[in-house]
Amino acid sequence: DQQVKQNSPSLSVQEGRISILNCDYTNSMFDYFLWYKKYPAEGPTFLISISSIKDKNEDGRFTVFLNKSAKHLSLHIVPSQPGDSAVYFCAALSPSGTYKYIFGTGTRLKVLA
Amino acid sequence: SAVISQKPSRDICQRGTSLTIQCQVDSQVTMMFWYRQQPGQSLTLIATANQGSEATYESGFVIDKFPISRPNLTFSTLTVSNMSPEDSSIYLCSVEGTFGEQYFGPGTRLTVT
């Protein structure tokens, strides 16, 4: 049972345009979400996070939006750059009290020059 | 953020053998985490390792198969025992950052033949 889902395995975007990566979750008790970026042969790198008390968090070109009623979050990258080409994972912190993050399967973003 | 290194970066092993993966952090940390990413799958937490105590394993993972050592606050090892092709994965260690985000090592790509 996949509690965190990234339904788009891949996405291609033209350089300079907006990239929108989506993530859905099933457990309404999740209250902290993160996005990670992963380049080949490297570990995931933390990008941005959002707490359930917010609906938006912005850091430079990266903005994460959280829609709790829809159990949906999205990562917007504006403007997209070729260096943003990577696999992006969303993750949710399990409410079980442990430090357990539940990850989605990832979306491979390709930014075309 | 922490700098994390892992050894080996990759290995090809025969079924029935064991491999020990090392994880070194450049600062002292209370908890270290071990994840597995099977091909095409999300990252899955194997266990949490605290210094001086037994590791805590997630559902579906057992100590006999994945023994973990945590001899000090900067180092941990994960052993994949009696390997089968189904153990072919990327294994990652991580530590927690100040705001709950996790920092990952570069991963160990294991192929079992």
Side-chain angles (χ1 to χ4, degrees), chain B residues 15-111:
Chain B
R15 73 170 66 212
T17 63
S18 298
L19 176 72
T20 295
I21 302 167
Q22 298 178 10
C23 179
Q24 181 76 49
V25 188
D26 69 341
S27 57
Q28 294 184 338
V29 294
T30 304
M31 288 187 288
M32 295 177 75
F33 306 88
W34 286 98
Y35 284 81
R36 178 176 76 180
Q37 185 186 13
Q38 293 177 302
Q41 304 294 315
S42 59
L43 284 79
T44 302
L45 181 63
I46 297 171
T48 302
N50 287 339
Q51 192 267 335
S53 63
E54 292 273 331
T56 302
Y57 289 83
E58 296 299 312
S59 174
F61 299 96
V62 295
I63 188 171
D64 290 345
K65 175 68 176 177
F66 297 101
I68 288 171
S69 78
R70 185 76 204 276
N72 58 53
L73 291 172
T74 63
F75 187 78
S76 178
T77 67
L78 169 77
T79 298
V80 186
S81 302
N82 189 24
M83 288 183 284
S84 66
E86 292 70 36
D87 294 319
S88 297
S89 295
I90 299 173
Y91 291 85
L92 301 120
C93 67
S94 73
V95 302
E96 190 178 55
T98 306
F99 302 104
E101 72 279 18
Q102 296 219 322
Y103 295 96
F104 288 87
T108 295
R109 183 179 292 273
L110 170 62
T111 302

Side-chain angles (χ1 to χ4, degrees), chain A residues 15-88:
Chain A
E15 180 180 8
R17 299 289 190 105
I18 184 171
S19 295
I20 300 176
L21 298 104
N22 294 305
C23 180
D24 297 295
Y25 59 95
T26 58
N27 191 336
S28 58
M29 297 298 291
F30 289 153
D31 60 5
Y32 188 60
F33 304 89
L34 307 92
W35 283 95
Y36 288 85
K37 177 170 70 174
K38 185 182 184 302
Y39 293 120
E42 295 183 13
T45 303
F46 169 69
L47 203 53
I48 192 169
S49 63
I50 188 165
S51 164
S52 62
I53 63 173
K54 293 186 172 183
D55 54 19
K56 176 183 173 181
N57 189 26
E58 193 171 349
D59 184 2
R61 296 186 297 114
F62 303 91
T63 303
V64 55
F65 295 91
L66 176 61
N67 182 333
K68 291 184 287 293
S69 60
K71 298 193 189 72
H72 176 84
L73 65 154
S74 60
L75 175 68
H76 292 210
I77 306 173
V78 177
S80 302
Q81 300 173 353
D84 296 327
S85 298
V87 178
Y88 289 79

